[in-house]
Amino acid sequence: MAHLGLIGIGVMGAAFAQNLAEEGHSVSMLDRTIAKMQAVANEGKDLKGDLIVCADAQALIDSLPKPRSILVLVPAGGPLDSVIDMLIPMLDKGDLIADLGNSNYKNTQARVAKLEAVGLHFLGMGISGGAEGARHGPSIMAGGSKDSWARVKGPLQDAAAAFEGDPCCDWFGPGGSGHFIKMIHNGIEYGDMQQIAETYGIMRDGLGMKAGEIADVFKGWMKGPLNSYLIEIAGEVAAAVDPKTGGPVLDIILDKAGQKGTGRWSVIEALHLGTPASLMMAAVEARNISAAKDSRLEMEAAFGPSPEVMIGALGTRKAAIDALENAMIAAKVCAYVQGFEVLKRASDEFEWDLDLAAIARVWRAGCIIRSVFLDEISDVFDGGGSSNLALAPIFQQRLKDTMPDLQKVIVAGISHGQQVPALYGALGYHNMRRTGQSTANMIQGLRDYFGAHTFERVDDLGVAVNGPWHD
Ligand code: 3PG
């Protein structure tokens, strides 16, 4: 059984310490508030491993067997750097610091280099699953100093979620690769949530459905290919009743979405890498616009209310719900095609040699985007499928079966003022990707006309030429 250090006993840290102890591992805890650690230790006194309260960093370091492994779960950025800078002079060569927060992968790359330069190890690990996951089994995506992974792999895999006996916890590559994977996980999560919000909007505003009826639709979708944690909790959120008003909780939640940044980072990185990320982008933009409530109200007063009722536009209510389900399936396939292509491009660009099948496998349980769908994706990659999931027979067929409904939902939706940017992000992306002859010949012609940027002729590929514009 291992004995690890854990710095940062907030909600997540406390839950993770108890999870490790439940698996029989001992944890030396360090936090600014001793009382908080004592409460965590008391609560976990019957667990198999010990939960040790450390009064200060020296006590933590003295309590750990060498080489030491210290997990850190404090806010990313400044607070994390302060902890690292405090630990560096106190540690011995070969000791390990592992950051379990939502750090930007570039900062993780820099920290790996900084610590390796002084003989220490550093792992950047993305953890998904919220507080519940941290306590009972999160999904863990690690990257960084490979030599040190073997040391923490056992306890972390014990604490992680498992899918059919396989732990949802792995090391994926050097540098910031673990945090990059977690970032894209969150970008996909943003896209999944935006699609849910858009279909909820069509049901609420377009089809005039009550929250309870919408909850039943989400519950029904759990029986099909959309079966996932987010659809499950969408059903629960829609069904919940506010004790104060007796009405749906959804109706008393202010429509301004928050965000901590990982979705935005995903979009920025996808753009840097030159890979499409239209669903994540739509999701981030929708959150940004939602946050400007006053401006939306002002615009609504100027332009008139939107959206409008669209009962009948998609046939009967049953036909409309079936079309919405198919629309979400099509959009979801596109979102995952995009997500895995960003990962593949990053893997090539940064020479991480990421195993896409293994990534899909650790997302099958424990994390927020867990779904039946990810099991199918891991099967495709395990079977040697390319990073373009759209060409795998199972997803190719699914796209062929569901794209017509995605198109129908979008046409009906936008002609009634519904907001469907993520759904359209999927359709527009797929339509462009399946078009052999694009319109970029016009772009190239314009670029060459005004800037002499040159183009290739279709009958003489590989040769840069100019057009006859200015003769
Ligand atoms: C998290 O990391 O807590 C979530 O997965 C994403 O958070 P956000 O929606 O606040 O950005």
Side-chain angles (χ1 to χ4, degrees):
M1 288 296 140
H3 184 172
L4 309 169
L6 178 55
I7 300 183
I9 307 297
V11 178
M12 295 284 285
F16 200 57
Q18 291 180 341
N19 182 349
L20 285 163
E22 186 163 67
E23 296 299 327
H25 304 292
S26 294
V27 182
S28 291
M29 301 182 290
L30 181 63
D31 195 89
R32 273 187 305 218
T33 334
I34 301 242
K36 204 155 56 170
M37 290 187 283
Q38 253 146 10
V40 172
N42 287 344
E43 210 181 277
K45 65 181 178 323
D46 296 330
L47 298 172
K48 280 187 268 168
D50 295 327
L51 289 167
I52 301 151
V53 175
C54 300
D56 55 27
Q58 195 57 55
L60 174 104
I61 284 171
D62 293 344
S63 74
L64 293 172
K66 293 182 187 175
R68 304 175 185 92
S69 301
I70 302 175
L71 314 178
V72 185
L73 235 169
V74 300
L80 173 65
D81 280 323
S82 308
V83 168
I84 294 172
D85 290 340
M86 169 191 75
L87 289 174
I88 290 175
M90 305 175 84
L91 294 175
D92 295 317
K93 286 204 180 343
D95 287 349
L96 160 71
I97 300 176
D99 165 27
L100 277 67
N102 256 338
S103 293
N104 186 297
Y105 83 100
K106 286 185 184 150
N107 296 335
T108 305
Q109 310 257 69
R111 290 179 186 126
V112 170
K114 173 173 161 174
L115 269 81
E116 286 184 348
V118 293
L120 298 170
H121 300 285
F122 191 81
L123 290 169
M125 299 196 230
I127 294 213
S128 178
E132 184 65 14
R135 178 64 185 85
H136 299 291
S139 167
I140 302 177
M141 296 138 253
S145 312
K146 187 174 188 184
D147 297 346
S148 59
W149 172 241
R151 218 190 289 164
V152 287
K153 178 179 171 186
L156 292 178
Q157 289 196 338
D158 289 343
F163 182 88
E164 293 174 357
D166 275 351
C168 293
C169 166
D170 216 337
W171 178 90
F172 289 98
S177 57
H179 275 135
F180 191 96
I181 294 166
K182 172 62 177 22
M183 175 188 76
I184 296 300
H185 165 284
N186 282 22
I188 292 174
E189 175 184 305
Y190 272 51
D192 280 356
M193 288 165 71
Q194 179 61 22
Q195 287 170 49
I196 290 173
E198 290 175 18
T199 48
Y200 157 69
I202 290 179
M203 288 190 268
R204 182 190 68 181
D205 304 325
L207 306 178
M209 292 169 63
K210 302 267 170 279
E213 295 171 315
I214 296 172
D216 291 341
V217 171
F218 288 130
K219 285 176 191 162
W221 288 352
M222 284 299 286
K223 297 188 191 111
L226 293 176
N227 181 309
S228 59
Y229 172 69
L230 282 170
I231 292 286
E232 183 189 341
I233 65 169
E236 288 180 17
V237 168
V241 172
D242 173 38
K244 189 168 162 196
T245 58
V249 172
L250 264 179
D251 293 355
I252 55 96
I253 300 179
L254 183 65
D255 57 334
K256 288 166 78 167
Q259 55 185 311
K260 291 198 291 288
T262 44
R264 185 169 58 233
W265 295 347
S266 297
V267 174
I268 292 169
E269 292 310 322
L271 290 175
H272 276 313
L273 290 162
T275 54
S278 51
L279 284 108
M280 298 178 198
M281 178 118 67
V284 173
E285 285 183 347
R287 288 197 195 192
N288 292 346
I289 294 172
S290 82
K293 171 99 179 169
D294 291 347
S295 149
R296 285 190 286 114
L297 287 171
E298 206 181 345
M299 293 286 280
E300 186 178 75
F303 289 94
S306 169
E308 307 157 4
V309 172
M310 52 183 271
I311 292 169
L314 288 166
T316 61
R317 182 186 278 188
K318 156 104 182 54
I321 301 296
D322 289 348
L324 280 178
E325 182 180 14
N326 275 342
M328 273 197 75
I329 294 168
K332 193 169 170 98
V333 174
C334 293
Y336 283 73
V337 172
Q338 293 185 350
F340 277 96
E341 288 212 323
V342 180
L343 289 168
K344 174 75 174 91
R345 190 67 68 88
S347 177
D348 293 345
E349 176 82 14
F350 305 126
E351 299 179 354
W352 284 338
D353 198 21
L354 297 180
D355 178 346
L356 299 184
I359 295 173
R361 279 199 294 272
V362 302
W363 289 349
R364 288 178 304 177
C367 67
I368 303 296
I369 63 169
R370 62 187 180 259
S371 65
V372 166
F373 195 70
L374 277 157
D375 196 28
E376 295 168 350
I377 294 177
S378 65
D379 284 347
V380 166
F381 288 137
D382 274 331
S386 81
S387 64
N388 183 3
L389 284 169
L391 291 177
I394 178 174
F395 294 119
Q396 201 179 125
Q397 193 55 50
R398 208 167 266 174
L399 283 171
K400 285 176 182 158
D401 293 343
T402 56
M403 270 292 166
D405 274 336
L406 178 61
Q407 185 164 333
K408 252 201 294 186
V409 164
I410 289 168
V411 169
I414 57 176
S415 52
H416 291 85
Q418 304 286 334
Q419 284 100 52
V420 286
L423 294 179
Y424 181 72
L427 181 69
Y429 161 76
H430 181 69
N431 282 346
M432 277 195 281
R433 287 253 295 185
R434 54 170 295 204
T435 299
Q437 173 65 48
S438 79
T439 53
N441 46 335
M442 174 55 100
I443 305 286
Q444 287 296 79
L446 296 170
R447 290 178 69 239
D448 188 56
Y449 187 101
F450 67 68
H453 293 299
T454 76
F455 58 85
E456 283 179 277
R457 290 181 61 100
V458 293
D459 54 5
D460 198 9
L461 293 177
V463 181
V465 296
N466 293 111
W469 328 115
H470 309 294
D471 291 347

